[in-house]
Amino acid sequence: MLRNTINGFPVWVIAQGAVLLILAIVYFVIRTKKPKTTWLLELYSFVVCIVWISTLVAILINIFELVQVVTGINSVFIGMTFLACGNSVGGIDLIKQ
């Protein structure tokens, strides 16, 4: 978790405010006229997706390390269990049908 602050405000609050401001500006610009090039928005979306994926992976790794410390299970078994769960996710759709 980010513990940095700027003038007493957490950095993530400032970043979310900046993102909301950018999104509002982009929304009103796109609503009034279609932009000639959308490559900048596509590049921004790609970078944001990479940031979200890396953040979620870091959180998952921290959770698995916590489970390892609390239970004392070898990290190899935790990794194999996570891999098995990930491989079986595709079969859930078959069960529902």
Side-chain angles (χ1 to χ4, degrees):
M1 197 77 173
L2 294 174
R3 299 197 189 280
N4 297 334
T5 59
I6 297 176
N7 293 332
F9 289 105
V11 172
W12 67 270
V13 172
I14 296 171
Q16 287 295 330
V19 167
L20 288 175
L21 179 66
I22 290 170
L23 287 175
I25 291 170
V26 167
Y27 172 75
F28 288 114
V29 166
I30 289 176
R31 192 179 68 158
T32 56
K33 62 178 180 176
K34 183 163 174 55
K36 295 178 182 175
T37 58
T38 58
W39 67 270
L40 187 60
L41 292 175
E42 293 167 357
L43 179 65
Y44 175 74
S45 300
F46 179 75
V47 170
V48 169
C49 287
I50 297 297
V51 169
W52 272 108
I53 290 170
S54 66
T55 302
L56 292 175
V57 166
I59 291 170
L60 279 174
I61 289 173
N62 287 336
I63 290 171
F64 290 134
E65 287 177 353
L66 176 68
V67 169
Q68 177 189 4
V69 170
V70 170
T71 61
I73 299 174
N74 191 352
S75 62
V76 173
F77 295 120
I78 294 176
M80 289 186 339
T81 303
F82 178 67
L83 183 63
C85 291
N87 283 335
S88 66
V89 168
I92 293 175
D93 185 43
L94 296 175
I95 295 171
K96 290 183 179 181
Q97 293 177 355

